[in-house]
């Protein structure tokens, strides 16, 4: 404390120089505090360095010299030169650009090119014959090109496309041989496989196959009753009734064991086959013979097998099928108390009609169907829209839109989206083969609203569905 007052007294002896210096220090502090606002970051940095150097000079000028140190004067001079050098080497802040400077070129004009001389992009002359790099402009893909690119990405690996049909046919043969030996009294027809991979349509994924088990009925003992005449009031479902029981009592038909209330029960037939698949067939032995592992799905309402091979995995669904009066009926009863109903399938007619139309005008209906099914497969909210509903929309549109060439794929694709949104707004999609059937009848109202919302947003920008 005594040193502080001694130093203060010496500053006052210097004719009030200390108070002046204190005032200058305060000014410097205010300048530094506001320099960033006035001069910017770089200007404030320059001012801070210069101010620091000046303050060092003033501090040394006003501080008392140590008379006992003979090198004090020399040291003070050296530090002063260092501070001055610090000020001298401080970079100057960039000059604020004036409006008239904007019109001036940033680089000096280049000298004219000598004939036969090339110049590289940096302004330096390049030797004769140097390759010139041309920048290609960015190219925006059209919807047509995006659709074709998306379709190419849906290609199934060749190993799956060749191995899965072979494996499925082998399992089909083994299953038919077992049923003939286990249940020789049941006249099953020849089993066959179904699905896009085997029916000639452009397949999306070779991971699922349908195995059809034909149930052969005597037309004199059975007749069909439309679902419209039953309590379900659904024209897509049918009942198979046992007739002429007075002349041909029960037991005359081998399928009488599956009758419930004089009707052939699809539910009872499925339950019987399910027990055979789970408990009676030696699937490990069959799988070992075919080089794969086969497991029946126990908890499923469907008759389903899961197959695992070293190279592929496959799901096979079995469907007992009845063909009568030009109808193809599957043993797929709806959920509920009614167990005698058979579902009419239009799959065979759909495949035949689409191929026929494409063959007649070299159209791209199958390509459009493949793209739409791929979109429905990748969009969880559109899963139930793929397959049959999309096919029927394309068939309806084919009656009004005649140009189905591949060059018009984008136009037809957008039209299909518009048609789908219109059908979803009504909640009704009539079957192409029977207008009384509503293909949306099995959907919940919330599912219809969600699908309609997704497709309505995509109408203005269809590309979002292809991502």
């Amino acid at each position: 404390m005594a040193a502080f007052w001694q130093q203060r007294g010496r500053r006052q002896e210097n004719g009030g120089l200390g108070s002046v210096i204190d005032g200058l220090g305060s000014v410097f502090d205010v300048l530094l505090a506001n320099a960033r606002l006035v001069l910017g970051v770089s200007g404030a940095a320059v001012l801070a360095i210069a101010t620091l150097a000046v303050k060092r000079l003033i501090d040394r000028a006003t501080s008392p010299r140590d008379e006992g140190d003979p090198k004090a004067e020399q040291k003070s001079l050296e530090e002063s030169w260092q501070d001055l050098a610090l000020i001298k080497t401080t970079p100057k802040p960039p000059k604020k650009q004036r409006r008239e400077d904007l019109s001036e070129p940033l680089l000096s004009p280049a000298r004219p090119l000598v004939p036969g001389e090339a110049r590289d992009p940096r302004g330096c002359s390049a030797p004769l014959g140097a390759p010139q790099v041309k920048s290609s402009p960015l190219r925006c893909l059209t919807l047509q090109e995006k659709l074709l690119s998306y379709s190419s990405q849906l290609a199934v690996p060749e190993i799956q496309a060749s191995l899965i049909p072979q494996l499925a046919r082998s399992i089909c043969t083994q299953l038919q041989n077992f049923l003939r030996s286990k249940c020789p009294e049941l006249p099953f027809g020849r089993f066959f496989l179904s699905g896009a991979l085997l029916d000639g349509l452009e397949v999306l994924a070779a991971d699922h196959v349908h195995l059809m088990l034909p149930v052969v009925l005597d037309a004199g003992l059975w007749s069909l009753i439309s679902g419209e005449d039953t309590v379900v009031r659904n024209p897509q479902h049918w009942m198979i009734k046992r007739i002429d029981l007075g002349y041909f009592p029960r037991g005359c038909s081998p399928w009488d064991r599956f009758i419930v209330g004089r009707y052939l029960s699809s539910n009872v037939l499925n339950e019987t086959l399910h027990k055979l698949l789970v408990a009676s067939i030696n699937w490990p032995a069959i799988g070992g013979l075919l080089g794969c592992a086969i497991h029946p799905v126990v908890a499923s309402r469907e008759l389903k097998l899961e197959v695992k091979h070293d190279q592929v995995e496959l799901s096979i669904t079995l469907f007992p099928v009845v063909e009568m009066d030009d109808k193809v009926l599957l043993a797929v009863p709806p959920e509920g108390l009614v167990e005698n109903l058979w579902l009419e399938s239009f799959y065979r007619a759909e495949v035949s009609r689409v191929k026929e139309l494409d063959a007649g005008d070299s159209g791209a209906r199958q390509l459009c169907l493949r793209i739409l099914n791929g979109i429905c497969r990748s969009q969880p909210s559109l899963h139930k829209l793929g397959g049959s509903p999309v096919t029927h929309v394309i068939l309806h549109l084919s009656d009004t839109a005649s140009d189905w060439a591949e060059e018009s794929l984008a136009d037809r694709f957008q039209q299909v989206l518009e048609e789908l949104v219109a059908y979803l707004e009504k909640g009704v999609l009539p079957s192409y083969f029977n207008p009384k059937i509503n293909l949306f009848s099995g959907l919940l109202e919330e599912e219809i609203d969600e699908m309609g919302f997704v497709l309505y947003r995509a109408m203005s920008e269809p590309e979002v569905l292809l991502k």
Side-chain angles (χ1 to χ4, degrees), residues 213-440:
L213 286 59
V215 175
V216 181
L217 299 177
D218 187 347
L221 300 178
W222 304 91
S223 65
L224 298 182
I225 297 178
S226 173
E228 289 182 291
D229 302 328
T230 66
V231 293
V232 296
R233 300 296 180 185
N234 189 337
Q236 193 171 0
H237 286 88
W238 294 76
M239 300 182 75
I240 305 175
K241 185 179 181 180
R242 179 67 158 83
I243 60 175
D244 292 337
L245 286 175
Y247 295 97
F248 304 99
R250 295 184 64 160
C252 293
S253 172
W255 301 104
D256 286 344
R257 56 186 285 193
F258 303 104
I259 288 178
V260 175
R262 296 187 64 178
Y263 296 97
L264 182 62
S265 174
S266 56
N267 194 37
V268 174
L269 179 58
N270 278 335
E271 289 179 353
T272 303
L273 291 173
H274 190 273
K275 291 178 182 178
L276 291 174
L277 290 177
V278 172
S280 301
I281 303 179
N282 189 355
W283 290 115
I286 296 176
L289 181 64
L290 301 178
C292 62
I294 307 174
H295 303 282
V297 181
V298 179
S300 175
R301 293 181 70 250
E302 298 178 318
L303 305 174
K304 185 173 290 188
L305 302 174
E306 297 292 344
V307 182
K308 291 186 178 181
H309 190 271
D310 291 340
Q311 296 175 302
V312 295
E313 292 187 4
L314 173 64
S315 176
I316 301 178
T317 305
L318 284 66
F319 290 102
V321 55
V322 171
E323 296 188 38
M324 287 184 64
D325 302 339
D326 298 328
K327 302 288 189 299
V328 179
L329 307 178
L330 303 180
V332 185
E335 296 183 5
L337 299 177
V338 182
E339 60 180 19
N340 298 331
L341 294 176
W342 294 69
L343 177 68
E344 183 175 5
S345 172
F346 299 103
Y347 178 75
R348 187 183 302 174
E350 294 165 9
V351 173
S352 176
R353 183 58 178 163
V354 170
K355 287 185 177 181
E356 178 185 353
L357 292 172
D358 272 354
D361 57 8
S362 300
R365 294 172 185 83
Q366 296 179 66
L367 179 58
C368 186
L369 177 61
R370 178 185 182 182
I371 294 173
L372 288 166
N373 282 334
I375 291 172
C376 294
R377 183 184 179 94
S378 62
Q379 300 275 346
S381 59
L382 302 178
H383 277 179
K384 294 186 178 181
L385 196 60
S388 186
V390 172
T391 305
H392 284 251
V393 172
I394 290 178
L395 291 176
H396 282 304
L397 187 58
S398 297
D399 291 340
T400 57
S402 57
D403 185 9
W404 280 90
E406 186 174 306
E407 293 76 14
S408 303
L409 176 62
D411 295 335
R412 299 291 82 80
F413 177 79
Q414 288 184 299
Q415 274 190 292
V416 172
L417 294 183
E418 295 171 1
E419 292 292 317
L420 278 171
V421 171
Y423 287 127
L424 288 168
E425 285 178 346
K426 299 176 183 177
V428 177
L429 173 58
S431 167
Y432 182 79
F433 304 100
N434 186 356
K436 295 181 180 179
I437 297 175
N438 176 19
L439 299 180
F440 289 162

Side-chain angles (χ1 to χ4, degrees), residues 84-281:
L84 289 176
L86 181 64
I87 299 175
K88 200 171 185 179
T89 57
T90 301
K92 296 182 180 181
K95 183 180 66 173
K96 187 176 181 181
Q97 193 175 28
R98 297 175 301 173
R99 180 172 298 180
E100 54 268 20
D101 293 338
L102 297 177
S103 59
E104 297 178 3
L106 296 178
L107 300 176
S108 58
R111 65 180 180 84
L113 287 175
V114 179
E117 181 184 36
R119 185 174 295 277
D120 66 6
R122 294 167 296 183
C124 302
S125 59
L128 268 174
Q132 300 296 316
V133 179
K134 296 183 178 180
S135 59
S136 57
L138 293 177
R139 180 169 173 265
C140 297
L141 297 178
T142 63
L143 176 59
Q144 175 84 6
E145 293 169 330
K146 290 180 180 179
L147 289 172
L148 295 176
S149 175
Y150 181 81
S151 175
S152 64
Q153 297 172 10
L154 300 175
V156 176
E158 187 175 351
I159 183 64
Q160 295 184 12
S162 59
L163 180 58
I164 283 183
Q166 178 183 352
L167 188 60
R169 289 190 181 97
S170 300
I171 296 174
C172 177
T173 302
Q174 294 293 329
L175 181 60
Q176 176 131 33
N177 293 338
F178 170 81
L179 289 178
R180 282 179 177 175
S181 62
K182 183 71 174 179
C183 309
E185 73 281 4
L186 297 179
F188 282 104
R190 184 177 181 82
F191 293 3
F192 63 94
L193 299 174
S194 179
L197 183 62
L198 300 115
D199 294 329
L201 291 180
E202 296 189 59
V203 67
L204 292 175
D207 58 358
H208 193 276
V209 173
H210 294 163
L211 175 54
M212 316 305 288
L213 286 59
V215 175
V216 181
L217 299 177
D218 187 347
L221 300 178
W222 304 91
S223 65
L224 298 182
I225 297 178
S226 173
E228 289 182 291
D229 302 328
T230 66
V231 293
V232 296
R233 300 296 180 185
N234 189 337
Q236 193 171 0
H237 286 88
W238 294 76
M239 300 182 75
I240 305 175
K241 185 179 181 180
R242 179 67 158 83
I243 60 175
D244 292 337
L245 286 175
Y247 295 97
F248 304 99
R250 295 184 64 160
C252 293
S253 172
W255 301 104
D256 286 344
R257 56 186 285 193
F258 303 104
I259 288 178
V260 175
R262 296 187 64 178
Y263 296 97
L264 182 62
S265 174
S266 56
N267 194 37
V268 174
L269 179 58
N270 278 335
E271 289 179 353
T272 303
L273 291 173
H274 190 273
K275 291 178 182 178
L276 291 174
L277 290 177
V278 172
S280 301
I281 303 179

